[in-house]
């Protein structure tokens, strides 16, 4: 019995149980339950203000929560600096507005974590950085500053910056919503590649093409709750909840 | 589905120069000085005013001025007596610092210039570290050189220090020491911990809310009461402490503005990369705060620099105090206050103007981060 349970848990890299969060008196997340297996790709969608960002930001403690539990790779998310640091080293995050460090070059943006957090020597950190810059196809921009790059390039740098820390989980919060249409594809391509390599991914996005292509599971949130979750085929072709149906008809309608 | 039939080709329109009437001095004058009747009248009025007042001023300052000589008696013409300034120039700049030791002050000024130059010209990958170290070392090195008492250097007691270089030294030494403190106060004011936050708020608001003059009196009269009995802390050191506190209160607010201007995404990105609190503050936030705050830091410094003239109130022989001594001197009773104050005015104005040129230069270098 215990053996079965622990092997099931070993597979679940993220375990969220009955998570509740309030901003003051505003109940923003309600009874969130979510288990993510290693290598699973999850897309989270839902209307604005439904708590999608808040949910994934709880996973690396950019937000605190008041009730419930959250475990990442077996480490309990509690009010303990050690645990928070361990989890953050394990989880990479990509933001809607890239959030590159504007005073550092692209290369310095990428080597910062390996040098200061992982204590790697500079030369090794630069090697790693160049490897990932090549993977996101912009090694030639290494010595420029973020302000000199296009939005799509900046977002690919941001992805590379997270990958340099060698995370087991990647969180994406609307990575393409601040981008012009012609740049969305170059970022999605990188994300698809990453998914194909088996990275565990949680991605808040309204790119339904991406969801259909790579997601193992699509989660629909509304009003701070998980309303529906299913594999992409069922989710898009046969949504169960009226809220989901309404939402899908709105975003697929045009 | 491809459209059939003929397709319009893109026809670029050639660039044209801007319409001519907005370019050139005549057009500029017409637009800015004589654009209407009212505007033309004001312009003419100002020209008449200048024509009436400028020549006598020029005459007083230059054509009828007394330039050569060493004593009061040399001032025979009606114009300004620049001889007075000339005769006292050593005291105005160096106070009563002994002549044979004055190279130490000059060395100090050269060091200051070198450190300023270093902050711009060193190779970029260690510029930040090296210039911060140099700036922080400067007040101590300066103190050691000016005071002496080591390696064969004669001791020059601080009551001999004076003149304009004392203003420069007091301002520079206090802002440099205040810099790290004000940064900590600003951090404290943003802290989540109520105790740290209230202490910071009280400190900052106290030193911002109290006139600097009363702080100087406190420094010279009250501060000694706090030191252990028998210890005699130098008066100059005491006002230096006062200036440091005063400045760090002001600059903490400057930094607070800088902190507020750094987008929260920067903190979140630093957190999600896994940096610790101090790594985040020092590597990510501080450089951006300094860059944002640079114009205000320099403005605050200019204010402090001018405020050092208040030191005369507690009898410290900075440049204005020296000027008053000179004006009261029995060999120079011809009434040279106008020349003297004009001179002080020009020296301060030139330094402050130099600093604002420097500050624009700094802003440009910081901004090239984005382009180059
Ligand atoms: N710091 C905060 N303080 C108070 N309320 C907040 C705060 N941050 C978010 N909220 C509220 O919490 C709710 C959920 O926000 P969240 O950012 O998670 O929504 P979202 O689903 O990501 O929406 P979007 O698609 O617009 O990004 C919203 O109603 C929002 O107004
Ligand atoms: Mg959001």
């Amino acid at each position: 019995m215990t053996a079965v349970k622990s092997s099931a848990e070993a597979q679940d890299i993220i375990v969220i149980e009955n998570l509740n969060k309030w901003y003051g008196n505003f109940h923003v997340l309600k009874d969130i339950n979510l288990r993510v297996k290693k290598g699973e790709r999850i897309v989270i969608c839902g209307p604005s203000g439904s708590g999608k960002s808040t949910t994934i930001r709880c996973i690396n403690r950019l937000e605190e929560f008041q009730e419930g539990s959250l475990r990442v790779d077996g480490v309990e998310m509690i009010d303990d600096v050690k645990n928070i640091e361990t989890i953050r080293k394990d989880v990479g995050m990509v933001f809607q507005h890239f959030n590159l460090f504007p005073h550092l070059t692209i290369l310095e943006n990428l080597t910062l974590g390996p040098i200061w957090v992982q204590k790697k020597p500079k030369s090794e950190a630069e090697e790693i950085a160049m490897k990932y810059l090549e993977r996101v196809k912009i090694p030639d921009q290494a010595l420029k500053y973020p302000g000199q790059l296009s939005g799509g390039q900046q977002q690919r740098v941001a992805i590379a910056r997270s990958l340099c820390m060698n995370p087991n989980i990647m969180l994406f919060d609307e990575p393409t919503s601040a981008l012009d249409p012609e740049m969305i594809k170059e970022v999605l391509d990188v994300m698809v590649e990453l998914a194909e390599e088996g990275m565990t991914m949680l991605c808040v996005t309204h790119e339904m093409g991406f969801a259909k292509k790579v997601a193992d599971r699509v989660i629909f949130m509304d009003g701070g709750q998980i309303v529906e979750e299913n594999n992409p085929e069922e989710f898009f072709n046969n949504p169960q909840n009226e809220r989901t149906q309404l939402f899908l008809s709105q975003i697929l309608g045009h | 589905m491809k459209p059939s039939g003929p397709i319009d080709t893109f026809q670029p329109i050639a660039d044209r120069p801007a319409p001519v009437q907005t370019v050139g001095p005549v057009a500029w004058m017409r637009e800015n000085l004589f654009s209407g009747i009212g505007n033309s009248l004001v312009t003419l009025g100002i020209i008449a005013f200048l024509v009436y007042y400028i020549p006598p001023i020029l005459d007083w300052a230059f054509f009828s001025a007394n330039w050569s000589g060493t004593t009061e008696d040399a001032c025979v013409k009606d114009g300004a007596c620049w001889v007075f300034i000339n005769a006292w120039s050593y005291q105005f700049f160096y106070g009563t610092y002994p002549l044979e030791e004055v190279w130490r002050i000059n060395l100090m000024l050269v060091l200051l210039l070198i450190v300023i130059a270093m902050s711009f010209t060193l190779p970029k990958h260690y510029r930040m570290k090296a210039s911060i170290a140099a700036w922080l070392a400067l007040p101590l090195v300066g103190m050691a050189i000016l005071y002496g008492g080591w390696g064969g250097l004669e001791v020059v007691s601080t009551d001999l220090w004076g003149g304009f270089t004392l203003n420069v030294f007091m301002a520079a030494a206090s802002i440099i020491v205040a810099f790290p403190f004000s940064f900590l106060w600003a951090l404290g004011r943003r802290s989540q911990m109520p105790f740290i936050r209230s202490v910071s708020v009280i400190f900052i608001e106290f030193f911002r809310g109290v006139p600097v003059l009363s702080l100087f009196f406190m420094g010279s009269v009250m501060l000694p009461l706090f030191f252990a009995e028998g210890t005699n802390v130098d008066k100059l050191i005491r006002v230096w402490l006062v200036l440091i506190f005063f400045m760090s209160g002001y600059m903490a607010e400057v930094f607070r503005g800088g902190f507020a201007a750094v987008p929260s995404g920067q903190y979140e990105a630093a957190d999600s990369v896994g940096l610790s609190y101090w790594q985040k503050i020092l590597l990510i936030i501080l450089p951006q705060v300094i860059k944002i705050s640079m114009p205000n830091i320099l403005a605050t410094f200019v204010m402090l620099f001018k405020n050092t003239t208040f030191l005369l109130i507690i009898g410290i022989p900075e440049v204005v105090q020296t000027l008053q001594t000179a004006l009261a001197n029995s060999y120079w009773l011809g009434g040279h206050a106008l020349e003297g104050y004009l001179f002080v005015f020009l020296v301060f104005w030139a330094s402050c103007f130099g600093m604002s040129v420097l500050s624009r230069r700094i802003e440009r270098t910081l901004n090239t981060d984005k382009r180059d």
Side-chain angles (χ1 to χ4, degrees):
Chain A
M1 175 67 198
T2 39
V4 173
K5 191 184 171 200
S6 69
S7 84
E9 294 220 327
Q11 288 214 335
D12 287 333
I13 195 168
I14 301 175
V15 180
I16 302 177
E17 281 169 345
N18 279 322
L19 187 142
N20 280 278
K21 174 175 174 61
W22 288 262
Y23 282 123
N25 278 328
F26 175 52
H27 197 170
V28 56
L29 294 181
K30 301 171 182 167
D31 296 338
I32 301 289
N33 282 289
L34 180 64
R35 282 169 175 268
V36 181
K37 290 196 191 62
K38 198 163 172 48
E40 211 178 357
R41 278 98 41 159
I42 291 182
V43 162
I44 303 175
C45 60
S48 181
S50 55
K52 309 178 295 289
S53 302
T54 313
T55 305
I56 66 166
R57 287 157 60 88
C58 283
I59 297 174
N60 67 347
R61 219 348 144 86
L62 291 183
E63 302 286 353
E64 295 175 11
F65 53 88
Q66 286 81 19
E67 276 179 13
S69 74
L70 194 160
R71 239 170 308 138
V72 178
D73 229 350
V75 181
E76 189 79 37
M77 178 66 83
I78 46 170
D79 226 345
D80 182 283
V81 183
K82 270 266 140 34
N83 284 18
I84 295 173
E85 276 180 3
T86 316
I87 290 175
R88 280 182 179 160
K89 282 175 195 165
D90 211 33
V91 179
M93 179 146 188
V94 175
F95 302 86
Q96 179 174 1
H97 296 289
F98 331 134
N99 297 356
L100 295 178
F101 305 127
H103 60 297
L104 301 177
T105 62
I106 301 306
L107 192 62
E108 288 164 342
N109 265 277
L110 267 65
T111 53
L112 196 73
I115 290 176
W116 291 93
V117 181
Q118 297 176 335
K119 312 283 180 214
K120 290 191 169 137
K122 196 174 169 206
S123 55
E124 192 188 336
E126 286 181 351
E127 226 168 86
I128 297 172
M130 289 313 294
K131 184 178 101 190
Y132 284 108
L133 275 184
E134 254 152 56
R135 266 189 52 182
V136 300
K137 301 179 188 69
I138 34 176
D140 47 323
Q141 310 287 344
L143 297 179
K144 290 196 181 164
Y145 285 90
Q148 298 169 297
L149 268 54
S150 76
Q153 291 173 324
Q154 290 192 45
Q155 194 59 296
R156 285 185 279 154
V157 171
I159 295 174
R161 177 174 68 183
S162 294
L163 293 177
C164 280
M165 298 298 290
N166 200 17
N168 285 319
I169 302 163
M170 284 287 285
L171 308 174
F172 293 84
D173 191 358
E174 306 203 28
T176 57
S177 353
L179 296 177
D180 290 339
E182 65 259 44
M183 293 171 189
I184 292 180
K185 186 175 176 306
E186 62 187 48
V187 171
L188 287 182
D189 285 349
V190 169
M191 290 169 62
V192 169
E193 224 170 86
L194 202 57
E196 282 163 357
E197 282 162 21
M199 175 68 76
T200 311
M201 291 166 71
L202 271 86
C203 183
V204 176
T205 183
H206 293 150
E207 291 296 329
M208 291 306 149
F210 174 79
K212 284 176 189 162
K213 192 164 172 185
V214 305
D216 297 311
R217 215 171 353 142
V218 181
I219 289 175
F220 175 71
M221 290 187 71
D222 195 7
Q225 292 169 246
I226 293 181
V227 176
E228 183 165 352
E229 54 176 299
N230 220 326
N231 62 49
E233 225 153 285
E234 283 293 302
F235 182 85
F236 289 111
N237 299 331
N238 192 14
Q240 302 296 312
N241 194 293
E242 50 169 352
R243 291 283 179 106
T244 322
Q245 288 166 1
L246 181 66
F247 177 74
L248 285 177
S249 71
Q250 277 167 350
I251 61 162
L252 299 176
H254 45 86
Chain B
M1 196 173 61
K2 288 212 163 151
S4 53
I7 306 171
D8 278 350
T9 47
F10 173 67
Q11 299 273 349
I13 298 172
D15 291 350
R16 279 175 314 207
V20 77
Q21 56 276 28
T22 59
V23 191
V26 176
W28 182 88
M29 273 166 56
R30 191 178 308 140
E31 187 150 309
N32 292 289
L33 300 179
F34 300 101
S35 62
I37 292 185
N39 200 345
S40 307
L41 283 179
V42 171
T43 305
L44 290 176
I46 291 174
I47 290 174
F49 181 84
L50 292 179
V51 167
Y52 189 77
Y53 281 103
I54 293 274
I57 292 177
L58 286 181
D59 186 56
W60 177 82
F62 297 101
F63 308 124
S64 315
N66 301 280
W67 295 94
S68 56
T70 48
T71 62
E72 175 87 55
D73 304 333
C75 289
V76 284
K77 294 199 265 176
D78 313 337
C81 179
W82 297 126
V83 177
F84 168 72
I85 303 296
N86 203 8
W88 286 88
S89 58
Y90 182 88
Q91 282 86 343
F92 288 160
F93 275 105
Y94 302 116
T96 42
Y97 209 85
L99 180 59
E100 61 277 14
E101 301 292 333
V102 82
W103 60 269
R104 281 149 67 168
I105 297 187
N106 293 332
L107 173 65
M108 196 42 232
L109 294 176
V110 170
L111 283 180
L112 179 64
L113 292 178
I114 290 177
V115 173
I116 291 176
M118 259 172 70
S119 319
F120 288 104
T121 52
L122 283 181
K124 225 188 147 200
H125 54 279
Y126 61 85
R127 185 191 300 165
M128 189 81 160
K129 272 182 226 153
S131 31
I132 288 180
W135 277 109
L136 291 180
L138 201 57
L140 288 179
V141 172
M143 201 57 124
I145 292 177
L146 294 183
Y147 189 76
W150 52 278
L153 279 184
E154 226 178 282
V155 171
V156 180
S157 112
T158 55
D159 37 288
L160 297 178
W161 302 13
F164 184 67
T165 49
L166 182 65
N167 295 67
V168 173
F169 182 74
M170 291 305 277
S174 22
I175 196 162
I176 293 167
V177 179
F179 210 86
F181 286 113
S182 48
F183 183 69
L184 291 178
W185 288 122
L187 268 184
R189 194 163 186 169
R190 292 172 61 82
S191 166
Q192 309 281 336
M193 284 170 275
F195 176 72
I196 293 184
R197 193 172 53 239
S198 356
V199 170
S200 309
V201 169
I202 291 170
F203 174 91
I204 293 170
E205 292 308 329
F206 176 79
F207 281 99
R208 270 159 41 91
V210 172
V212 66
L213 274 183
S214 60
L215 287 177
F216 285 153
F217 277 117
M218 263 165 55
S220 63
V221 182
M222 279 173 61
L223 217 50
L225 306 179
F226 293 107
F227 294 121
E229 211 165 321
T231 50
N232 181 20
V233 177
D234 192 282
K235 187 173 177 186
L236 210 60
I237 303 262
R238 292 196 313 253
V239 292
W240 186 31
L241 287 178
V242 167
L243 280 173
I244 290 171
F245 282 128
F246 172 70
M247 266 321 269
S248 53
Y250 264 87
M251 288 222 305
E253 284 300 281
V254 169
F255 277 138
R256 190 161 74 110
F259 273 114
V262 175
S264 60
Q266 292 290 313
Y267 293 85
E268 293 171 0
D271 281 339
S272 65
V273 167
L275 297 179
S276 70
Y277 176 78
W278 284 108
Q279 287 172 338
K280 173 174 70 178
I281 294 296
L282 294 176
L283 297 171
I284 306 300
I285 307 304
L286 179 60
Q288 299 188 55
V289 168
I290 291 182
K291 178 173 162 176
I292 295 167
S293 315
M294 203 35 117
N296 289 333
I297 292 173
L298 277 144
T300 314
F301 178 71
V302 167
M303 177 195 76
L304 172 81
F305 181 50
K306 292 186 294 186
N307 276 348
T308 54
T309 53
F310 288 152
L311 289 173
L312 81 112
I313 297 278
I314 49 169
I316 287 184
E318 51 68 59
V319 63
V320 178
Q321 169 76 8
T322 311
L323 171 62
Q324 293 191 335
T325 312
L327 289 174
N329 187 288
S330 52
Y331 293 101
W332 292 90
L333 290 174
H336 305 299
L338 190 54
E339 291 91 330
Y341 284 111
L342 209 57
F343 169 75
V344 170
F345 170 89
L346 277 176
V347 170
F348 271 94
W349 179 81
S351 326
C352 294
F353 182 73
M355 280 186 277
S356 60
V357 169
L358 192 67
S359 115
R360 277 198 294 277
R361 169 85 203 270
I362 292 176
E363 281 161 46
R364 266 207 307 280
T365 10
L366 290 175
N367 273 333
T368 47
D369 281 2
K370 297 215 159 169
R371 281 171 254 120
D372 84 285

